[in-house]
Amino acid sequence: MSSLVLGFQEIEKSQHMLIGGKGQNLGKLAKMQGIQVPDGFCVTTTAYQRVIEQNKTFQALLDQLTILKAKDRDQLGEISRKMRQLLMEAEIPSDVEKTITHYLSQFGNHHAYSVRSSATAEDLPYASFAGQHDTYLNIIGKDTILQHIKKCWASLFTERAIIYRIQNRMDHRQVYLSVIVQRMVFPQASGIIFTADPITSSRKLLSIDASFGLGEALVSGMVTADCYKVKENKIVDKRISAKKWAVYGRKEGGTETVPVNQQQQRTQTLTDQQIIQLARIGRQIEAYFGYPQDIEWCLVDDTFYIVQSRPITTLFPIPEANDQENRVYVSVGHQQMMTSPLKPLGLSFHLLITPAPMRKAGGWLYVDVTPMLSSPDSRNRLLTTMEQHDPLMKDALTAVIERGDFIQSLPHDPKAPSQSRNHTDSPEEIEINPAIVHELIQRSQASIEALKQNIQTKSGSDLFDFILEDIKELKKILFDPQSTAVFMSAIHATHWINEKMYEWLGEKNAADTLSQSVPNNITSEMGLALLDVADVIRPYPEVIEFLQQVKDDSFLDELVPFDGGRAAQDAIIDYLNQYGMRCPGEIDITNTRWSEKPLTLVPMILSNIKNFEPDAGKRKFKQGKQEALKKAQELLDRLKPLPEGEQKARDTRRMIDRIRNFIGYREYPKYGMINRYFVYKQALLKEAEQLVHAGLIHEKEDIYYLTFEEFHAAVRTKKLDNEVIHKRKDDYKGYEKLTPPRVITSEGEIMTGTYKREHLPAEAMAGLPVSSGVIEGRARVILHMEEAELEEGDILVTSLYKC
């Protein structure tokens, strides 16, 4: 067996780096019982490397390529052209040519072949590279085949392939190309099987595209193919298209496009029996690979040939479950305004703390709401909550319920509590002493200070046991009934005010104004404190100029020599001491905190200096408080003349007091949790350093790709399989490219809601507001919040982000 060329039957497992993803998959398919694959062989990456390794000009161009970015289009285009030209002009080494000739003689020199690229970076679970490299059909004759092998090599450096690799953060030097040479089949029909529906992502719904002739007409978009949907061996949907063109092979080589007879254009490409047969082949291949597949097929004389199979990389993972029951899951990330994936350590930490029925789905967490949807009572409560929190999520859940057959509905339980206290009920509740807020905060802070002291003495396996014990304390604080009663009282009051003021006065969203500048709102205090930092720095132009240039986190030490530098340094450090444990996506313990990367704060500080006057923090807080109190008095004055106005005013006053006293505390429990997270993280990173010194991991951040339990085991046993970390890093790259759905079922089907467009202009963008009301200003569309340069009055438009 040669290392230069491998026949499909000679391909062994784990030869991906030698023959690429497409070649590896064809080798597996060729050995499957009952699956027909046209004969062929792979010219390995060893042959490609032999061609490029001695070419100094090519290597120099490769060096230039590695430092360019996707935006450098002109330079990329010029280098791309030169590299492809060098590959086309290169001589194929004599032993490579001799081996290819030998394999061609085995399969028949007179036959036609397809010549296709198979890169080591394609057909991976996180990057398919579909269509990035070239394919040539109906190639006849040894010399022509050799020429097209070089064309495939050259396609590794087309501009689009280069940019795709840059966008996927792949090293050009680490991607090699194998070439597949495969006997041509000349089908009457061909197409694609998706073993998971490409529209809904349902894993139970298989989709088949089919058209006449070779698949090039379909792939190129020349024709709209027939589409058949199959579920559990039954055809559940058909769409028969007008197939006006077909691509066929020519006798002398190459292909031609010919018009399809008008009477045949709307004929069903496959019979129903063939559709079911092809669906079974698709399911067989999917079961073999263990992952939904995108499969290319050809039909020749009633025999289906498979010419390619690759994983569908765009599918969102299904939340993990222990049974096969129908289930519905809602996204935790959307509720946290965080749709980026969590790393394994972050996922496992969150699961240690939450009492909710959460399930992992790749790098995300989902809550199983099936039991709530099964009961009419809890279903109504859930939908009411979702309508207020995220109308799109409510729409998606409603779509599942309306099917009627996906979730078994339980009978109404007369003993169950009626729909959670309707917000229009009487405001009478057990009164809560406002002093409890200060007591709860003090209790939490004292507990965190004790944690900081006690954790210093812990290391090794003892540290993990200590953290597990402390998580019990964290859960006590998070789910303290007193704490919950405080913010739930405020939330209930907020809904009561909004509903009653609209009912009685026609006033919409009155609680928004009433909740301005409330005490104990740690999130608002954090923003106001950063305005104070800007005030300290504002008088010192040298410091400002320096901050505009800084590139790394050493800037804090470098501030001191400047006039005002020491004051600026102290202000930033004081801020970090109070709020430095926070960051975007902070529920993931692995995410970089402000204290770990203070540079993150610099753009925000500079923005505050630019956009606000001195003492803006104090003025904004005072102004907000005055507006809230003015609104409160206005509402009370308008209520008193109404029928039963005095009682309405008394009830409203009580609810306003609850909002003003308690709504700010709503933000505090999470702040306390994030404080603890940072203490845990600092201690765990010290343990990670010990693993680095012991040679178990390469860098301390590698532990982010272990669960808490796996990290503990590595520290205890001094053993760790680094392949687990490498695989999870690759998995994470794939997760970063996916868009998590709000609602997904156990079949993998993504349920979507629709933005309400009533009374909107035709060109308007619809989305979900952070707060209610109407405002005019400059809309700023921001893709990456850390790069945002917002000014006062700007309207931020962005996707759900890590918050």
Side-chain angles (χ1 to χ4, degrees):
M1 183 169 61
S2 167
S3 64
L4 300 173
V5 178
L6 291 174
F8 291 166
Q9 295 296 333
E10 297 172 315
I11 293 172
E12 299 174 357
K13 292 181 180 178
S14 304
Q15 287 186 304
H16 184 277
M17 292 306 294
L18 202 59
I19 54 175
K22 194 179 298 178
Q24 184 80 69
N25 289 350
L26 277 171
K28 292 177 179 178
L29 288 167
K31 295 177 182 178
M32 282 184 66
Q33 189 172 359
I35 301 298
Q36 301 297 319
V37 176
D39 292 333
F41 57 89
C42 298
V43 182
T44 70
T45 58
T46 303
Y48 162 75
Q49 289 174 276
R50 289 272 302 280
V51 171
I52 67 168
E53 62 189 8
Q54 301 302 324
N55 192 320
K56 292 182 180 179
T57 305
F58 186 89
Q59 294 298 325
L61 291 170
L62 195 53
D63 288 338
Q64 294 178 42
L65 193 61
T66 57
I67 61 174
L68 295 178
K69 295 183 172 25
K71 63 181 180 181
D72 303 321
R73 299 300 289 264
D74 291 342
Q75 291 167 276
L76 287 175
E78 181 62 17
I79 291 174
S80 164
R81 184 187 63 77
K82 290 178 179 178
M83 295 179 86
R84 284 182 284 118
Q85 183 178 348
L86 285 170
L87 285 167
M88 289 304 301
E89 293 173 352
E91 283 193 22
I92 296 178
S94 59
D95 55 344
V96 175
E97 182 175 341
K98 182 179 178 180
T99 311
I100 292 171
T101 303
H102 168 72
Y103 275 83
L104 281 173
S105 66
Q106 283 189 324
F107 294 121
N109 287 317
H110 59 286
H111 287 303
Y113 290 85
S114 66
V115 182
R116 297 188 288 162
S117 306
S118 177
T120 55
E122 69 183 12
D123 291 355
L124 299 173
Y126 61 91
S128 76
F129 274 78
Q132 296 299 321
H133 307 121
D134 288 349
T135 290
Y136 302 95
L137 300 178
N138 200 23
I139 308 302
I140 302 171
K142 184 194 81 171
D143 291 342
T144 312
I145 289 170
L146 292 173
Q147 187 69 7
H148 282 81
I149 287 172
K150 289 198 288 185
K151 286 186 178 183
C152 285
W153 287 338
S155 75
L156 192 60
F157 293 97
T158 61
E159 198 171 335
R160 68 175 181 175
I162 290 169
I163 290 171
Y164 191 89
R165 287 196 296 273
I166 291 172
Q167 291 170 338
N168 284 276
R169 292 176 286 183
M170 291 178 172
D171 186 346
H172 302 293
R173 289 186 172 280
Q174 300 302 314
V175 178
Y176 308 114
L177 197 113
S178 168
V179 179
I180 298 166
V181 181
Q182 188 174 21
R183 279 274 301 271
M184 274 293 295
V185 291
F186 297 96
Q188 60 260 36
S190 58
I192 301 170
I193 308 168
F194 298 99
T195 64
D197 183 48
I199 305 300
T200 66
S201 295
S202 172
R203 309 309 201 264
K204 289 196 173 182
L205 192 62
L206 180 144
S207 179
I208 297 172
D209 289 348
S211 62
F212 299 120
L214 291 165
E216 293 308 291
L218 191 161
V219 173
S220 66
M222 190 184 304
V223 299
T224 301
D226 288 355
C227 183
Y228 318 121
K229 307 279 187 179
V230 180
K231 187 173 185 179
E232 296 174 348
N233 282 324
K234 292 181 181 178
I235 300 171
V236 295
D237 188 40
K238 292 182 193 175
R239 188 187 67 228
I240 312 303
S241 300
K243 301 165 286 294
K244 296 182 179 180
W245 301 93
V247 175
Y248 294 101
R250 299 185 302 178
K251 288 183 179 180
E252 64 272 25
T255 60
E256 61 180 348
T257 302
V258 299
V260 175
N261 181 292
Q262 194 163 7
Q263 290 182 330
Q264 190 185 12
Q265 286 179 9
R266 286 201 171 270
T267 304
Q268 188 171 308
T269 307
L270 299 177
T271 67
D272 286 3
Q273 185 178 0
Q274 288 171 332
I275 292 169
I276 296 300
Q277 180 187 355
L278 191 55
R280 286 175 179 156
I281 291 171
R283 289 297 184 208
Q284 182 183 352
I285 293 172
E286 178 187 58
Y288 180 77
F289 284 104
Y291 197 86
Q293 297 288 299
D294 165 354
I295 302 163
E296 295 182 19
W297 58 270
C298 298
L299 176 62
V300 183
D301 299 329
D302 294 326
T303 298
F304 284 107
Y305 287 88
I306 304 301
V307 294
Q308 186 170 326
S309 186
R310 57 175 166 247
I312 304 175
T313 60
T314 56
L315 290 174
F316 193 81
I318 300 174
E320 299 171 1
N322 298 322
D323 56 44
Q324 300 299 312
E325 299 296 320
N326 287 349
R327 298 199 173 275
V328 181
Y329 305 95
V330 299
S331 166
V332 173
H334 283 82
Q335 296 171 64
Q336 289 287 332
M337 292 291 183
M338 176 187 171
T339 54
S340 294
L342 283 74
K343 296 184 181 72
L345 187 62
L347 283 168
S348 62
F349 245 95
H350 210 65
L351 289 171
L352 285 172
I353 291 162
T354 179
M358 288 194 186
R359 304 289 179 262
K360 287 190 292 184
W364 292 268
L365 289 171
Y366 279 75
V367 177
D368 182 357
V369 294
T370 314
M372 297 182 73
L373 294 178
S374 298
S375 162
D377 302 292
S378 58
R379 178 193 308 152
N380 290 336
R381 291 197 296 272
L382 177 64
L383 293 179
T384 299
T385 302
M386 288 302 175
E387 186 171 30
Q388 294 157 352
H389 165 69
D390 188 334
L392 294 184
M393 204 171 271
K394 184 211 169 186
D395 283 358
L397 290 173
T398 302
V400 178
I401 294 165
E402 287 176 348
R403 289 185 179 176
D405 60 347
F406 189 78
I407 297 174
Q408 184 176 359
S409 184
L410 301 174
H412 173 73
D413 181 1
K415 296 181 181 178
S418 60
Q419 183 173 346
S420 173
R421 274 187 82 100
N422 193 303
H423 302 312
T424 58
D425 288 348
S426 165
E428 294 301 330
E429 281 184 353
I430 298 173
E431 291 298 330
I432 302 171
N433 187 336
I436 189 64
V437 174
H438 179 71
E439 182 183 326
L440 289 167
I441 291 173
Q442 290 294 102
R443 197 184 304 166
S444 175
Q445 288 177 339
S447 177
I448 291 166
E449 289 306 314
L451 166 63
K452 289 178 180 177
Q453 292 297 318
N454 294 333
I455 205 169
Q456 292 178 20
T457 63
K458 309 300 178 184
S459 63
S461 191
D462 289 345
L463 171 65
F464 292 84
D465 293 336
F466 173 81
I467 289 175
L468 287 173
E469 278 300 311
D470 192 76
I471 284 174
K472 294 177 183 177
E473 176 68 12
L474 169 57
K475 290 164 81 170
K476 270 190 209 173
I477 294 170
L478 280 177
F479 308 117
D480 179 351
Q482 277 189 316
S483 175
T484 304
V486 167
F487 62 74
M488 287 306 297
S489 174
I491 291 169
H492 174 262
T494 298
H495 294 312
W496 190 94
I497 285 285
N498 281 338
E499 291 174 11
K500 287 301 185 182
M501 294 309 100
Y502 183 65
E503 178 187 341
W504 294 338
L505 302 174
E507 179 96 19
K508 286 186 176 181
N509 303 307
D512 289 355
T513 304
L514 296 171
S515 58
Q516 290 184 134
S517 299
V518 292
N520 303 310
N521 186 324
I522 195 71
T523 303
S524 295
E525 290 169 3
M526 184 172 71
L528 296 173
L530 201 60
L531 285 169
D532 294 341
V533 173
D535 284 348
V536 172
I537 296 172
R538 186 178 282 105
Y540 303 108
E542 286 185 15
V543 173
I544 295 172
E545 185 179 356
F546 170 73
L547 290 176
Q548 289 170 337
Q549 313 295 327
V550 296
K551 300 294 183 187
D552 59 63
D553 292 304
S554 63
F555 79 92
L556 278 172
D557 294 330
E558 296 168 3
L559 275 170
V560 177
F562 296 103
D563 179 29
R566 176 69 70 180
Q569 183 193 57
D570 289 345
I572 295 172
I573 289 174
D574 287 346
Y575 185 86
L576 290 172
N577 288 338
Q578 182 71 20
Y579 304 108
M581 76 297 295
R582 308 210 78 165
C583 69
E586 59 194 5
I587 66 166
D588 184 349
I589 196 172
T590 72
N591 281 351
T592 304
R593 311 287 140 170
W594 291 338
S595 286
E596 296 171 315
K597 192 174 181 58
L599 188 64
T600 310
L601 293 177
V602 171
M604 293 187 274
I605 294 169
L606 292 173
S607 178
N608 284 346
I609 292 170
K610 176 183 177 182
N611 296 317
F612 297 99
E613 296 295 323
D615 290 325
K618 295 181 182 66
R619 284 200 312 278
K620 286 172 75 71
F621 188 84
K622 183 178 180 181
Q623 179 185 347
K625 185 175 181 180
Q626 287 173 343
E627 288 176 2
L629 297 179
K630 180 181 177 182
K631 173 59 70 175
Q633 191 59 52
E634 174 203 323
L635 294 174
L636 296 174
D637 290 344
R638 290 168 64 192
L639 286 170
K640 287 176 183 177
L642 300 178
E644 301 180 352
E646 290 296 333
Q647 183 62 47
K648 288 175 179 174
R650 281 195 297 272
D651 291 344
T652 301
R653 174 79 265 175
R654 193 176 306 119
M655 289 303 200
I656 291 172
D657 288 344
R658 287 180 189 167
I659 292 173
R660 300 291 305 166
N661 288 329
F662 302 136
I663 198 67
Y665 176 75
R666 183 182 184 181
E667 301 288 327
Y668 194 85
K670 183 180 178 183
Y671 172 72
M673 181 182 81
I674 299 306
N675 258 290
R676 283 186 123 79
Y677 268 23
F678 191 44
V679 178
Y680 299 154
K681 182 180 183 181
Q682 288 172 305
L684 290 171
L685 285 174
K686 287 181 181 177
E687 288 302 313
E689 288 174 1
Q690 297 303 312
L691 295 186
V692 173
H693 293 320
L696 268 68
I697 56 176
H698 299 298
E699 55 187 8
K700 60 184 181 181
E701 289 78 11
D702 283 350
I703 57 110
Y704 296 162
Y705 297 92
L706 300 173
T707 66
F708 182 79
E709 296 78 10
E710 290 167 343
F711 186 10
H712 188 180
V715 168
R716 187 176 61 249
T717 64
K718 301 295 186 289
K719 294 179 181 177
L720 179 60
D721 182 0
N722 257 288
E723 283 305 311
V724 171
I725 292 173
H726 294 320
K727 182 181 183 304
R728 287 182 184 167
K729 284 183 177 181
D730 284 344
D731 289 344
Y732 190 80
K733 288 179 187 176
Y735 298 152
E736 286 183 301
K737 296 171 191 159
L738 298 178
T739 300
R742 283 175 163 79
V743 177
I744 187 171
T745 73
S746 50
E747 294 182 357
E749 184 174 1
I750 292 173
M751 309 302 298
T752 58
T754 54
Y755 290 106
K756 300 296 185 286
R757 297 194 60 89
E758 293 92 338
H759 314 301
L760 287 180
E763 300 300 317
M765 288 192 298
L768 294 177
V770 174
S771 56
S772 57
V774 177
I775 191 170
E776 290 186 6
R778 178 178 61 172
R780 295 292 301 274
V781 180
I782 304 296
L783 299 181
H784 303 287
M785 291 297 293
E786 65 272 20
E787 299 171 5
E789 293 183 10
L790 297 171
E791 297 182 8
E792 188 169 17
D794 285 351
I795 302 169
L796 172 62
V797 180
T798 188
S799 60
L800 275 179
Y801 193 72
K802 299 177 179 179
C803 295

